[in-house]
Amino acid sequence: MNVAEVDSAHRASKLTIGLKSFGLLCSFSILMSCANVPVKQAEEQPELICKWGTQQFDLCQFDTQQERIDALLAEMTLDEKIGQMTQSVWHNNVTPEVIQQKAIGSIIHTEGPTPGPSALDWIANFNNFQSHALKTRLGIPLMIAVDAVHGQNTFEGAVIFPHNIGMAATRNLDLIKRAAQITAIEVAGTGFNWTFSPCIAMPQHEHWGRVYEGFTEDRDLTTAAVIASIQGHQGSSLAHRHTIAATAKHYIGDGATEGGIEGGNAIISDELLRERYLPPYAEAVNQGIASIMVGFNSVNGINMHQHTHLVTDVLKNELGFDGVVLTDWNGGIRFGEPHTVINAGVDIAMQPGNHEEFMGKLKASVLDNIVPMTRIDDAVRRILKMKFELGLFADPFAKSEYAVKVGAPSHRAVARQAVRESLVLLKSDNNALPLSPDEAIAVVGEHGHNSGLQSGGWSIHWQGQTESYLGATTILDGISAVANQVEYAQNGCYEGMEAQKAVVVVGEKPYAEGVGDTDKLYLTDEHKALIAGCKALNKKVVVVLISGRVLLIKDDLELSDAFVAAWLPGSEGAGVADFLFAADGFKPVGKSPFSWPEKYEDIPIEADAEHALFKFGYGLTNY
C-alpha cells in the first residue's frame, strides 16, 4: 500500500481500532525500581506504508529503520532538511498549502483560533494539514504538537487535571501515571501526536510565574513524578495508538533564576547542576523521553538556546540523549541568529509566523559553512527517528476513535480523585471539618463558583480565563450536590446569614509564564476581607486557597478554623467537595510539595528550613 491509498481510505471511513490494555500501574516502589528500565520505542510497530510522496519513494526496499532514515536523508535537499527542522503555528501565517510548499516538519496549536467546537473538527483540521504534508516530494509526515500540561487543556470540554504542583502533592505516582495516560488519549482524540509536557523545573523561588508548572522543589519527588508521567504519556511504545510523544522541559535551571524571573539567569555551579538539576533529565533520558525543550533562561550568563556545553556536551553526549531537542517559542531567532541555536545542538525551532525568516537565515548559514552539514544531518536524523517511532510512516493520521473519549466520565472520575488527594490540610480546629450534608453551608468568594479561576493558567487559553468553561464542575457545584442547604455568598458573609460554616474560597487570578512573575505573594485586601468578615460574624471559617504557589498566609491562617491549600485543581471542583465532606470515609493524604514562608524576608526558603511556616511535606492526615 502507498500513502495515497492510506489517505483515500482514511477519508472514506473512520478508524475502528480499539484502545489496547494499559496493564498494571506501578506502585511507588515499583516506579522507583523502574528507573533503569527505559521505555521501548519500537515494540509492536504497525505495518509500514511503502510508497511516499509525489516521488513515490519506496521505504520497503530497506530492511531496518536506520536504513530507511539514511535513505531519506540521502535523498533530501537542503531546503527539505531545513523544513523538517522548522515548526510552525498552524493558524499563524501558515496554511496546509504552505506546509506542502515549504516541507515544514511539524506544527503546533497554541493561543488563537481553534479548529471548531468538536474534537472531530480538530481532527479534520489537522488531518488536512497532514494530507498536504504527504503531498510533498518525499511525503514525510507531520508531527502535530500541543501544550497539554494538565490534561488536554487547550480543548474546551476535555478533562483538566490539577496542575503539576497539585499532582505532586498527592504523592500518588500511580495517579500521576494514570493522568498522563488519560491526557495522551484526549490529546490523540483531538488530533495531536506530541505534547510539550512534563515540566520538571523544580522551582526554587516563589516569585516565579511558572511555579505551578513544576511538580515540586524536591529533586527526588520530581524524578519519581517524571518517570510516572513519561510512562503514562509514552507507554511501552510510541507507535501504540493510545500513546503520544512527551517533552521534558525546560532544560535546564528554568526554575532557579535569580529573583525567580522568567527567562532570567540561573547561577549554578557544576556540582549543584549535577546534584540537583540534572538527575530528573538523566532519568527522562533513561525512560526514552522523545524530546526535550530548552528554556528561555540562561545558565551562568549563556542562554540555554545557545548553550553548546549543556545541550550538546552534557545532554546529548554525556547523558546519551538521542531524541529531539527543540526551542521554546520563537527560539530560533529570539536570542540571536539561527546558526547560534542550531550549532548549540537544537534540532527543531518553534517559529510562530516567521518560519521563512528562520529558514532563509539558516540556509544562508549552511551555504556559508557557518553551520556544518553534519549538524543539519544529525538534527534531521533525530527528527526522522522520532517520526518512525511514533508510527507515522505506518499511519500518519489522527486517532479519530478517541474523539468520543474526550471528557469521558471515567476520565473525570480520575481527575476528581486527583483533586481530593492533592489538597493539603494546613489547619483543622474547632470541628470545622469535615462538613456535614445536613448543616447549612455558605460558599463565599468568586473563586468558589468559577471553573476558570480554579484552573489557573494554561486552561483553555494560554493565560487561563476568568469565566467558567464547558464540562467543568465548580467548587459550589460539588458542595451543592452533597449538602441540603447551601448558599452562595460571592461578596461575603452578612448579618442574618443562616449558615454557621463558611467555605471561603480565595486565591490568585490565572496567569502564565512571565505574566505571573510578582512580588505580591499574598492575598488581595478584598480576599482578606472575605475571611475576616466571616470570622467577625462568628462563623466557622474554612479557607480554601486557590494558588499556583505557596503564599504568605500567616494572618489569614490565624483567622481561619480550617485552612486547605487546593493549588489549581482544574475542571473537577467536586473533588474539593469530596475532601471537605470526607466523602466515603476519605481522609486527607496531600503533602505540601513546597515549604511555606512565614514572612516576605524568608523568600526564597529552603525545603527543610526551621523557620518555615510549614516545611516541605507538611500536611495533616486527620480532620
Side-chain angles (χ1 to χ4, degrees):
M1 180 178 287
N2 62 38
V3 72
E5 292 171 328
V6 172
D7 193 3
S8 176
H10 165 80
R11 293 173 184 276
S13 64
K14 299 294 184 183
L15 298 172
T16 57
I17 296 176
L19 176 63
K20 298 185 177 91
S21 170
F22 284 117
L24 295 174
L25 297 176
C26 292
S27 65
F28 180 89
S29 60
I30 294 174
L31 273 169
M32 294 305 290
S33 69
C34 285
N36 295 319
V37 183
V39 176
K40 296 179 181 178
Q41 305 283 26
E43 181 179 309
E44 297 183 25
Q45 289 275 10
E47 184 179 352
L48 183 74
I49 298 170
C50 292
K51 301 294 182 66
W52 289 85
T54 59
Q55 184 172 309
Q56 290 290 281
F57 189 79
D58 187 2
L59 289 177
C60 291
Q61 64 183 301
F62 307 103
D63 294 330
T64 67
Q65 176 177 296
Q66 189 57 55
E67 288 174 345
R68 292 162 189 148
I69 291 172
D70 290 343
L72 280 170
L73 194 63
E75 186 67 25
M76 294 171 74
T77 66
L78 176 58
D79 286 335
E80 288 169 332
K81 291 175 181 180
I82 291 175
Q84 288 300 305
M85 298 171 66
T86 305
Q87 184 173 87
S88 296
V89 178
W90 72 268
H91 55 71
N92 191 343
N93 200 28
V94 175
T95 63
E97 291 73 23
V98 170
I99 296 297
Q100 183 176 344
Q101 293 163 8
K102 298 292 184 180
I104 288 171
S106 59
I107 57 173
I108 61 170
H109 172 73
T110 186
E111 181 67 26
T114 68
S118 78
L120 289 176
D121 291 331
W122 288 48
I123 285 174
N125 178 70
F126 296 124
N127 279 344
N128 186 29
F129 275 87
Q130 188 69 275
S131 293
H132 280 74
L134 301 180
K135 295 173 184 175
T136 57
R137 185 175 72 92
L138 295 175
I140 298 172
L142 281 171
M143 293 189 290
I144 304 172
V146 64
D147 280 292
V149 298
H150 63 139
Q152 207 320 31
N153 45 261
T154 69
F155 180 82
E156 188 164 7
V159 172
I160 297 184
F161 285 89
H163 267 293
N164 281 347
I165 191 172
M167 296 302 293
T170 70
R171 298 298 198 274
N172 187 338
L173 300 179
D174 291 352
L175 191 55
I176 293 173
K177 181 176 180 179
R178 184 69 178 122
Q181 289 172 325
I182 289 170
T183 298
I185 290 171
E186 299 205 2
V187 165
T190 45
F192 302 93
N193 48 43
W194 186 9
T195 181
F196 297 150
S197 179
C199 177
I200 53 176
M202 287 186 293
Q204 302 296 309
H205 211 301
E206 289 76 13
H207 290 88
W208 192 37
R210 309 187 79 157
V211 169
Y212 62 84
E213 292 187 53
F215 289 104
T216 170
E217 63 189 333
D218 180 71
R219 179 199 65 189
D220 294 341
L221 180 55
T222 294
T223 302
V226 166
I227 294 171
S229 179
I230 295 170
Q231 291 183 350
H233 284 110
Q234 297 193 170
S236 61
S237 170
L238 288 176
H240 288 164
R241 298 186 66 77
H242 62 269
T243 60
I244 59 174
T247 306
K249 65 180 189 182
H250 306 84
Y251 183 79
I252 191 170
D254 54 335
T257 62
E258 294 182 285
I261 297 172
E262 166 65 357
N265 184 45
I267 299 175
I268 305 175
S269 67
D270 187 67
E271 179 182 7
L272 183 60
L273 178 84
R274 295 174 183 281
E275 177 186 339
R276 175 178 289 179
Y277 296 106
L278 206 54
Y281 283 98
E283 194 51 57
V285 172
N286 289 342
Q287 290 294 313
I289 189 81
S291 61
I292 292 177
M293 182 185 293
V294 292
F296 285 142
N297 62 291
S298 298
V299 172
N300 300 330
I302 303 174
N303 186 269
M304 280 307 306
H305 283 67
Q306 300 164 316
H307 211 307
T308 306
H309 172 64
L310 289 178
V311 176
T312 296
D313 298 341
V314 176
L315 178 61
K316 289 186 169 181
N317 295 339
E318 183 179 329
L319 297 186
F321 178 58
D322 62 357
V324 169
V325 176
L326 73 151
T327 74
D328 207 329
W329 186 262
N330 198 29
I333 59 176
R334 178 172 181 166
F335 303 102
E337 293 298 309
H339 69 83
T340 66
V341 177
I342 302 305
N343 278 340
V346 173
D347 305 308
I348 292 179
M350 185 192 306
Q351 298 308 130
N354 57 4
H355 55 273
E356 290 196 12
E357 179 184 359
F358 168 79
M359 296 170 80
K361 287 184 173 181
L362 180 56
K363 181 177 181 179
S365 294
V366 176
L367 295 177
D368 290 341
N369 296 316
I370 297 172
V371 177
M373 187 58 72
T374 53
R375 174 75 273 272
I376 298 295
D377 286 349
D378 172 62
V380 178
R381 284 182 193 278
R382 291 167 179 269
I383 295 163
L384 292 175
K385 173 178 173 288
M386 183 170 165
K387 292 185 176 188
F388 272 103
E389 290 177 347
L390 275 167
L392 297 181
F393 285 95
D395 183 4
F397 291 104
K399 312 304 188 292
S400 59
E401 69 269 28
Y402 293 136
V404 297
K405 292 184 175 291
V406 177
S410 60
H411 292 180
R412 293 194 182 279
V414 176
R416 181 171 175 171
Q417 176 190 351
V419 173
R420 63 176 174 264
E421 292 191 22
S422 71
L423 272 56
V424 177
L425 186 59
L426 298 176
K427 178 180 180 180
S428 185
D429 291 340
N430 304 321
N431 296 315
L433 290 176
L435 302 177
S436 169
D438 297 323
E439 58 189 351
I441 299 166
V443 177
V444 175
E446 64 176 341
H447 280 65
H449 193 38
N450 188 308
S451 59
L453 294 179
Q454 76 193 26
S455 299
W458 298 105
S459 301
I460 312 303
H461 294 285
W462 171 45
Q463 291 294 327
Q465 60 184 50
T466 55
E467 59 275 348
S468 290
Y469 53 87
L470 182 69
T473 303
T474 69
I475 295 170
L476 175 64
D477 291 335
I479 291 174
S480 298
V482 178
N484 299 318
Q485 188 175 348
V486 181
E487 176 183 355
Y488 178 46
Q490 178 176 325
N491 298 321
C493 297
Y494 56 89
E495 291 284 355
M497 175 182 280
E498 184 173 350
Q500 293 305 302
K501 287 187 178 180
V503 178
V504 183
V505 190
V506 293
E508 297 184 300
K509 293 287 181 71
Y511 54 81
E513 299 191 27
V515 176
D517 288 0
T518 186
D519 294 329
K520 298 178 180 179
L521 299 172
Y522 42 79
L523 292 176
T524 63
D525 289 343
E526 292 78 9
H527 281 195
K528 286 178 174 290
L530 292 177
I531 298 170
C534 290
K535 193 62 179 176
L537 291 171
N538 295 316
K539 307 299 182 184
K540 288 187 177 181
V541 176
V542 177
V543 175
V544 176
L545 176 64
I546 302 295
S547 68
R549 52 192 149 200
V550 299
L551 298 177
L552 297 162
I553 59 168
K554 184 179 180 183
D555 293 343
D556 314 302
L557 192 73
E558 291 174 354
L559 289 174
S560 69
D561 296 283
F563 201 106
V564 180
W567 316 113
L568 299 170
S571 61
E572 306 310 304
V576 178
D578 292 342
F579 180 98
L580 297 176
F581 287 95
D584 299 320
F586 177 82
K587 289 195 173 184
V589 296
K591 302 295 181 183
S592 182
F594 291 88
S595 56
W596 292 71
E598 182 173 332
K599 54 186 183 297
Y600 189 86
E601 293 74 22
D602 294 337
I603 299 170
I605 189 168
E606 292 294 325
D608 58 352
E610 290 299 328
H611 59 285
L613 183 64
F614 300 108
K615 292 183 181 181
F616 166 84
Y618 181 85
L620 299 174
T621 55
N622 287 293
Y623 297 103

